[in-house]
Amino acid sequence: MKLVKLEGNNVIYAVVVIFYNPDENAIDRISTYSDNFDDILIIDNSEIYSNKTVERLVQYNNCTYHKMNGNEGMAKALNYAFYRAIDKNFDFILSMDQDSIYSIENINNMKKYIEFNFDEAIGIFSPSYSKLYFDENSQEFIAAKSSIKRNEIKKVSFCMTSGSFVNVKALTKILPLEDYFISYVDNLLSTKLKENGYELIRVGTSYFSQQVGGIVKNTIFNRLFRIVHHDDIRYYYMVRNNLLLGERFKKFSIKRIKNRIGLFRILGNLLIGEKNKTKKLKACWKGYKDFKQKVMGKANCDFN
């Protein structure tokens, strides 16, 4: 890779945060971005419009609020944000979920790394991350071990969309993202970038933590088996989109194998870590059947 030092003052950073029925903490976290990004875009996938939410956001001069037509999912929200970033000639856009915690210090560490180690062949600069578990004794979330060491820089094949600084020029080669609605949208983005010759980098000096799915208790069992809690509709999307992704990129044999392993992990997590197994297994079966029919977009399902 050919590393180039960028002039920090000339690099335009944007951030997009995707809301879905946000709580007060999610709205408060927008203040983290107000002084550290040139542009803040809030995309609201909530079913119900909230004047209070908008009133809280308009206090930031560099913040734009965009209400989707109900919950239209991650893929459509990211397409909107990414095309906007291209139109406005931004250099990088950070994509964030509403429940991710990414401190100012760690954001600035990533910006510093990008500006001293930029390569146009890098599609995503992503931070190290850890999953949050809930400790019942302290009534606090506890972070698990981070994905890489602090002094480590690692090429990876996958980056979560949350926490990713995406090279906007690279986006011009891969949009639009297919409408997976939710689940595996980050895999889709990562794989399309790799397909077009871009590298994905994980940077240990920048770190964030995230709750994945529902609240998971801080137990040895849950950590050992990497248990996550999802509702039935999420299992539908995970199975359907895992299979769609494997079919879409079947020429990447290693990617397809990893996808199949991921599918077994989904089912294993359901069987050993979830309640309401029957309903969730029905959702997985419906996801498989819709994959066979090449169904995409928002599901209209009843798993009772």
Side-chain angles (χ1 to χ4, degrees):
M1 290 187 288
K2 182 181 178 182
L3 303 183
V4 178
K5 181 179 177 181
L6 299 176
E7 294 295 333
N9 292 335
N10 296 324
V11 182
I12 304 175
Y13 293 97
V15 58
V16 55
V17 184
I18 299 174
F19 278 178
Y20 180 72
N21 301 332
D23 59 17
E24 293 297 312
N25 290 330
I27 299 171
D28 288 342
R29 272 194 285 273
I30 300 304
S31 63
T32 303
Y33 312 120
S34 61
D35 295 327
N36 294 277
F37 289 86
D38 300 285
D39 184 89
I40 304 169
L41 173 63
I42 307 299
I43 296 183
D44 196 345
N45 264 328
S46 303
E47 301 287 355
I48 300 174
Y49 181 85
S50 171
N51 283 322
K52 289 184 178 179
T53 298
V54 179
E55 289 170 2
R56 294 272 301 280
L57 296 172
V58 295
Q59 65 180 299
Y60 306 112
N61 294 329
N62 56 342
C63 183
T64 300
Y65 174 87
H66 178 76
K67 181 74 175 72
M68 301 292 274
N69 185 26
N71 185 10
E72 297 193 46
M74 287 287 295
K76 284 188 177 180
L78 287 175
N79 277 331
Y80 180 91
F82 289 162
Y83 277 122
R84 180 175 180 273
I86 292 169
D87 289 342
K88 290 183 172 293
N89 294 314
F90 296 148
D91 295 299
F92 293 94
I93 181 167
L94 167 66
S95 57
M96 293 295 297
D97 293 340
Q98 65 182 24
D99 55 357
S100 299
I101 301 171
Y102 201 1
S103 70
I104 294 173
E105 177 185 3
N106 281 290
I107 287 171
N108 286 332
N109 284 346
M110 179 62 85
K111 289 164 71 173
K112 184 183 299 183
Y113 181 85
I114 290 172
E115 287 160 19
F116 278 84
N117 300 275
F118 175 70
D119 186 318
E120 62 183 11
I122 299 176
I124 295 177
F125 293 84
S126 67
S128 178
Y129 64 90
S130 62
K131 182 182 174 183
L132 292 173
Y133 293 90
F134 186 72
D135 187 84
E136 291 187 309
N137 293 324
S138 65
Q139 292 292 298
E140 293 179 342
F141 282 98
I142 306 295
K145 183 180 178 181
S146 57
S147 57
I148 62 173
K149 297 177 181 178
R150 185 166 179 79
N151 61 352
E152 190 177 1
I153 306 296
K154 186 177 181 180
K155 289 183 181 180
V156 294
S157 60
F158 160 76
C159 297
M160 290 187 294
T161 48
S162 189
S164 288
F165 281 77
V166 185
N167 179 349
V168 173
K169 286 185 179 178
L171 291 171
T172 62
K173 305 280 185 68
I174 67 163
L175 294 181
L177 300 175
E178 290 90 334
D179 188 9
Y180 283 15
F181 191 75
I182 194 169
S183 289
Y184 283 83
V185 177
D186 39 16
N187 299 71
L188 178 64
L189 173 63
S190 297
T191 309
K192 291 187 81 167
L193 285 167
K194 292 285 290 182
E195 182 184 44
N196 281 272
Y198 289 97
E199 297 287 353
L200 314 177
I201 301 294
R202 187 162 296 152
V203 179
T205 55
S206 185
Y207 165 88
F208 87 115
S209 55
Q210 184 175 26
Q211 178 185 328
V212 180
I215 293 175
V216 179
K217 294 179 183 179
N218 184 35
T219 67
I220 294 173
F221 178 86
N222 287 343
R223 285 186 179 235
L224 180 63
F225 289 98
R226 295 190 288 178
I227 296 300
V228 293
H229 294 319
H230 292 298
D231 56 19
D232 48 6
I233 191 65
R234 190 62 178 263
Y235 275 102
Y236 164 87
Y237 286 118
M238 288 192 295
V239 168
R240 186 195 74 179
N241 294 346
N242 176 290
L243 294 168
L244 284 171
L245 188 75
E247 185 70 16
R248 165 70 173 77
F249 296 102
K250 60 185 177 182
K251 67 179 181 180
F252 296 111
S253 57
I254 294 177
K255 178 68 179 176
R256 201 173 195 189
I257 291 170
K258 286 182 177 179
N259 249 47
R260 292 299 176 264
I261 293 172
L263 186 59
F264 285 117
R265 282 182 179 161
I266 290 168
L267 296 175
N269 177 82
L270 191 163
L271 292 172
I272 67 174
E274 293 282 25
K275 298 178 181 179
N276 302 316
K277 292 180 176 57
T278 300
K279 190 175 183 182
K280 291 174 182 179
L281 284 170
K282 288 181 179 178
C284 292
W285 178 242
K286 174 63 174 173
Y288 171 75
K289 291 196 294 184
D290 279 1
F291 154 70
K292 297 296 287 184
Q293 297 297 320
K294 299 297 184 287
V295 173
M296 288 199 287
K298 188 174 184 178
N300 183 17
C301 302
D302 181 3
F303 307 118
N304 292 312

